[in-house]
Amino acid sequence: MSTTTTSNAQAKRKEIYKYEAPWMVYAMNWSIRPDKRFRLALGSFVEEYNNKVQIVSLDEETSEFVAKSTFDHPYPTTKVMWIPDTKGAFPDLLATSGDYLRVWQTSDSGTRLECLLNNNKNSDFCAPLTSFDWNEVDPNLIGTSSIDTTCTIWGLETGQAIGRTNPVSGHVRTQLIAHDKEVYDIAFSRGGGGRDMFASVGADGSVRMFDLRHLEHSTIIYEDPQHHSLLRLAWNKQDPNYLATFAIDSMEIVILDVRIPCTPVARLNNHRSGVNGIAWAPHSACHICTAGDDRQALIWDIQQMPRAIEDPILAYTAEGEINQVQWSTTQPDWIAICFNNFLEILRV
């Protein structure tokens, strides 16, 4: 390649790529494998039984997203997540939550269901799953949160060797009543070795922290003053002492320090409508992206905590209410957002 074509190719690299899905997008996440740079999974939000999951990939030659695989999913996915496999050592797995937790394997020939994990073996009733998290240190652990007040930690057998001979299977490691009401989110902490500690939030307005080694008690890290439901939580990717959460219909994101329970170390207050998503930078302890119904994605620098953080350092306005934001682990200069039936990835 001559130097002129190289510089032209670099000049052509855009700051924003956009994909239009055939339906409203709710769940979305970045692939983590090193050999699949601009690959994401999208989940439809259609208020009926028949929903879809689609895997899309950016063709860096044409600068267009291409749908690689589309498969059926009962009910909308509340979350979609790729196996946290930065080395490409595991099978190419994707998990989704909805009525149950499902693990899928994807390949060039399509996507197939590997296993459906159901914790209510003896009843026809299923309590929908609101969210889940896949443990980064041990990809054989997945934690789910449910409207039935419980969290379940699943052990997966992923069968390192790829192929039909090693199907993926799972078993319940532990199930615990985590909250007094519905649990809306769960996330493993990187603290204490990164394998055993997790936190959850829910309709009782509390953030609770658990340790798989000592499940007889939990720690309340924060309680919403009005006891409003807390919808999401996210751990800082570099400093395991910090996490962020927000309440239903709230315009404010609360940053907590587990060493100082129940007292927020910062409040981020620039959204003009309800917050829907939060994502910490994968490579920096002091940056977080927040997004919401005001169509804004805001990036904040929180390093001056506990001094008040007045304004974000970057703001992007989308063409619709943003219902999902994810920061790429493997390419930290890219953030993905969803609004209406669009996915956009933004270079930051």
Side-chain angles (χ1 to χ4, degrees):
M1 199 188 241
S2 70
T3 49
T4 50
T5 49
T6 318
S7 56
N8 284 351
Q10 282 165 342
K12 259 175 63 183
R13 277 198 71 191
K14 301 195 300 190
E15 304 294 306
I16 301 175
Y17 296 94
K18 190 174 186 178
Y19 174 70
E20 184 173 3
W23 19 253
M24 170 115 174
V25 183
Y26 175 68
M28 171 271 290
N29 229 324
W30 292 90
S31 169
I32 293 168
R33 286 174 75 91
D35 55 339
K36 306 281 187 188
R37 281 190 1 131
F38 287 98
R39 182 176 70 163
L40 298 99
L42 310 174
S44 68
F45 185 84
V46 183
E47 292 193 43
E48 57 179 70
Y49 180 80
N50 296 313
N51 274 262
K52 301 282 184 191
V53 174
Q54 192 169 69
I55 296 169
V56 300
S57 190
L58 182 70
D59 183 326
E60 295 185 58
E61 294 293 307
T62 64
S63 296
E64 299 288 335
F65 272 107
V66 180
K68 295 288 192 188
S69 168
T70 306
F71 54 96
D72 293 325
H73 194 281
Y75 304 105
T77 48
T78 51
K79 187 169 182 177
V80 57
M81 206 174 172
W82 298 83
I83 187 168
D85 176 18
T86 50
K87 297 187 172 63
F90 287 84
D92 199 2
L93 301 178
L94 177 72
T96 58
S97 54
D99 51 350
Y100 301 109
L101 178 68
R102 290 174 175 82
V103 181
W104 313 78
Q105 180 156 332
T106 186
S107 65
D108 294 336
S109 58
T111 307
R112 70 166 193 266
L113 180 64
E114 284 284 340
C115 63
L116 180 151
L117 300 174
N118 168 19
N119 204 2
N120 316 43
K121 287 288 185 283
N122 40 7
S123 103
D124 297 335
F125 169 77
C126 78
L129 301 177
T130 49
S131 187
F132 71 95
D133 194 27
W134 206 322
N135 192 295
E136 291 179 6
V137 171
D138 181 357
N140 292 307
L141 287 179
I142 291 185
T144 57
S145 57
S146 170
I147 64 166
D148 69 3
T149 76
T150 68
C151 291
T152 302
I153 306 298
W154 294 89
L156 288 186
E157 289 76 44
T158 50
Q160 255 43 9
I162 297 175
R164 292 260 175 196
T165 48
N166 295 55
V168 177
S169 60
H171 64 278
V172 175
R173 283 273 309 270
T174 187
Q175 181 181 27
L176 58 132
I177 294 173
H179 289 260
D180 303 328
K181 296 181 179 172
E182 297 93 329
V183 191
Y184 289 139
D185 202 6
I186 181 173
F188 286 105
S189 160
R190 288 195 176 181
R195 200 176 163 279
D196 297 294
M197 290 158 75
F198 64 93
S200 60
V201 293
D204 60 10
S206 68
V207 180
R208 301 190 186 202
M209 196 159 159
F210 301 87
D211 187 325
L212 288 173
R213 297 160 296 193
H214 311 285
L215 282 174
E216 59 281 358
H217 60 85
S218 65
T219 309
I220 294 183
I221 298 175
Y222 175 70
E223 290 187 290
D224 182 78
Q226 281 83 43
H227 301 289
H228 290 163
S229 299
L230 297 177
L231 290 190
R232 294 279 170 262
L233 85 153
W235 288 98
N236 187 306
K237 301 283 190 209
Q238 293 293 326
D239 186 334
N241 290 309
Y242 294 105
L243 68 148
T245 186
F246 59 88
I248 189 166
D249 297 330
S250 171
M251 300 182 228
E252 174 179 83
I253 296 92
V254 174
I255 310 282
L256 305 167
D257 181 337
V258 296
R259 297 164 297 188
I260 324 166
C262 301
T263 313
V265 280
R267 297 172 186 275
L268 308 179
N269 273 312
N270 253 37
H271 283 286
R272 294 188 290 278
S273 195
V275 177
N276 292 323
I278 44 180
W280 290 92
H283 58 311
S284 153
C286 53
H287 293 98
I288 186 171
C289 184
T290 64
D293 283 344
D294 58 1
R295 309 186 357 232
Q296 295 223 85
L298 307 177
I299 294 181
W300 306 79
D301 182 342
I302 59 164
Q303 60 188 335
Q304 65 186 39
M305 293 187 314
R307 291 209 307 279
I309 293 134
E310 302 291 339
D311 290 306
I313 53 169
L314 274 175
Y316 174 76
T317 305
E319 292 157 26
E321 299 179 352
I322 304 174
N323 52 32
Q324 193 67 251
V325 57
Q326 299 287 348
W327 202 318
S328 172
T329 310
T330 44
Q331 301 168 96
D333 44 352
W334 290 93
I335 286 176
I337 59 170
C338 292
F339 55 90
N340 303 333
N341 52 336
F342 291 100
L343 159 75
E344 278 186 346
I345 64 170
L346 319 169
R347 194 208 293 261
V348 294

